[in-house]
Amino acid sequence: MSMAQDRLRVATYNTELSRDGPGLLLRDIVSEKNEQVEAVARVIAVNQPDVILLQNIDYDHDLLNLRALRDRVSAYGHDMPYGFANPPNTGIATRLDMNGDGNVELPKDAQSFGAFEGQGGMAILSRHQINEIAVRDFSSIVWRDVPNALVPNKDQGPFPSNEAQNVQRLSSTGHWIIPVATDRGRIYLMTFHAGPPVFDGPEDRNGRRNHDEIVFWRHVMDGMMGAVPEPFVILGNANLDPVDGEGRTEAIASLLADKRLQDPRPMRKQSAPQIENLAGDPNLHTVAWPLDGPGHKRVSYILPDASLLVLASGVYWPRLDSTAGQLVAKASRHRLVWVDLAWE
């Protein structure tokens, strides 16, 4: 069997396809005329992943959005017939003040920020069959029940309230373990999209939650959430750079340093210019937020377990002055990240 046949290309991509209301994303996809949607579909097709985790794609019960996007990717020459998504925590009403501002309203007081249920969810597209029955979904776990949870306190009491902490889930979007049946055997995708560690107050509610969403995978690898499936790959958007920006950087740094994992350090092909006031390697960056705002950061990750063989990796970030670079910029501020894997 050739190396190309042995290869499994795993990718993660924050598409930023989320819309302001239910049905709007489907409208944009099926029109086949929305420039951002078409750019996202072309970026996916060009990179030819065998399986890809998508973030910021609105969820609907019948997966109409995902199926329509799959068809657009196929129209550009890359077929991924299998899809999966579970409901995210975004936009689920709690009827409680979850952020301590004294009001009870969406989107701020949902289980996770969202104007409607399903806004900005996650989804999988795959060339290989997904064992949906065996998917493990940890998204309903209450945050304070997680080992060593950094739940916030204020004035020596739970923030924003004990009632809120009793229902507040850990996952901003979701934590799933998804079995995919490849030609070489089953592989397990540990998928997530953590919330940003900012937009809060001195209690650091979002920073603490982001920390625990990332560290959750260490609890999984420790066997605290049941049997550890193998081989596995952790992938998704941690919304945290290991050295630059706000947030508890030790969370992602500890995951990158875990000996049970390997960091392929995906990079762009062309060398990136050094960015002032940033300590990290710009070639590792995965998002082009405005330089006068959050700036460029490494926030998307693919971390295979130590038993897997990494053949190649990359961040799809063509030069902005190229046709491909303009397409990528039109699709999303985030860049698609991929890793080629093989195993015995």
Side-chain angles (χ1 to χ4, degrees):
M1 186 176 290
S2 71
M3 185 64 76
Q5 289 174 311
D6 283 347
R7 183 204 74 182
L8 181 78
R9 175 161 290 183
V10 178
T12 185
Y13 188 24
N14 186 335
T15 65
E16 293 194 308
L17 285 175
S18 181
R19 298 300 190 254
D20 291 335
L24 299 182
L25 178 56
L26 183 62
R27 175 203 64 188
D28 288 347
I29 298 174
V30 299
S31 74
E32 301 182 10
K33 296 178 180 178
N34 183 275
E35 290 187 350
Q36 186 213 1
V37 170
E38 296 302 296
V40 166
R42 288 175 65 184
V43 166
I44 295 171
V46 164
N47 284 275
Q48 297 189 314
D50 293 301
V51 58
I52 186 169
L53 171 65
L54 307 171
Q55 299 98 43
N56 259 326
I57 176 170
D58 296 337
Y59 172 84
D60 64 274
H61 180 268
D62 296 317
L63 304 189
L64 299 178
N65 290 333
L66 183 60
R67 290 171 181 166
L69 181 62
R70 173 199 63 191
D71 292 345
R72 296 311 303 144
V73 175
S74 180
Y76 290 110
H78 186 61
D79 294 329
M80 306 184 79
Y82 301 101
F84 172 83
N86 265 353
N89 284 335
T90 52
I92 297 177
T94 63
R95 297 179 176 83
L96 293 170
D97 176 12
M98 302 299 282
N99 67 342
D101 67 356
N103 299 314
V104 179
E105 58 186 357
L106 293 176
K108 296 179 180 179
D109 296 307
Q111 278 289 352
S112 183
F113 191 92
F116 60 92
E117 288 193 27
Q119 185 180 33
M122 298 191 301
I124 291 281
L125 284 176
S126 176
R127 290 182 55 246
H128 302 283
Q129 192 165 4
I130 298 165
N131 187 346
E132 297 187 23
I133 296 175
V135 168
R136 295 163 64 186
D137 189 341
F138 301 96
S139 306
S140 63
I141 291 178
V142 173
W143 180 9
R144 68 175 0 172
D145 292 339
V146 174
N148 305 312
L150 296 182
V151 289
N153 290 289
K154 192 173 184 179
D155 300 326
Q156 299 177 333
F159 178 88
S161 67
N162 192 54
E163 292 76 16
Q165 285 196 8
N166 280 337
V167 301
Q168 176 65 76
R169 299 177 179 182
L170 170 68
S171 304
S172 292
T173 309
H175 284 83
W176 310 334
I177 300 180
I178 303 174
V180 176
T182 76
D183 297 337
R184 298 304 306 276
R186 184 173 293 184
I187 190 168
Y188 295 85
L189 308 181
M190 297 185 179
T191 63
F192 76 121
H193 182 189
V198 291
F199 312 122
D200 55 13
E203 73 287 339
D204 194 28
R205 171 179 177 257
N206 294 343
R208 290 168 176 269
R209 188 181 186 188
N210 172 274
H211 173 282
D212 286 356
E213 287 188 85
I214 296 167
V215 172
F216 178 79
W217 294 121
R218 299 192 71 185
H219 300 321
V220 170
M221 290 188 291
D222 289 341
M224 302 179 78
M225 300 297 162
V228 183
E230 294 179 338
F232 66 85
V233 181
I234 297 173
L235 71 160
N237 188 330
N239 253 317
L240 191 65
D241 187 289
V243 291
D244 289 308
E246 297 184 58
R248 296 172 178 252
T249 56
E250 67 273 13
I252 191 63
S254 69
L255 203 62
L256 294 174
D258 196 303
K259 298 301 183 184
R260 295 168 292 188
L261 300 171
Q262 49 187 319
D263 178 12
R265 292 173 58 84
M267 296 186 180
R268 61 176 80 182
K269 274 188 177 181
Q270 294 85 13
S271 181
Q274 187 63 45
I275 299 175
E276 188 176 357
N277 299 323
L278 291 183
D281 184 347
N283 293 298
L284 294 169
H285 290 161
T286 66
V287 62
W289 285 318
L291 294 177
D292 59 354
H296 294 192
K297 298 285 188 296
R298 184 187 186 191
V299 296
S300 294
Y301 299 87
I302 301 176
L303 305 175
D305 80 46
S307 72
L308 291 165
L309 177 63
V310 174
L311 303 176
S313 65
V315 176
Y316 187 60
W317 198 319
R319 292 175 59 92
L320 186 58
D321 58 3
S322 68
T323 301
Q326 293 172 17
L327 180 75
V328 164
K330 187 177 296 182
S332 173
R333 293 172 298 177
H334 294 261
R335 303 297 183 254
L336 184 148
V337 181
W338 58 269
V339 174
D340 288 349
L341 299 170
W343 63 97
E344 295 297 332

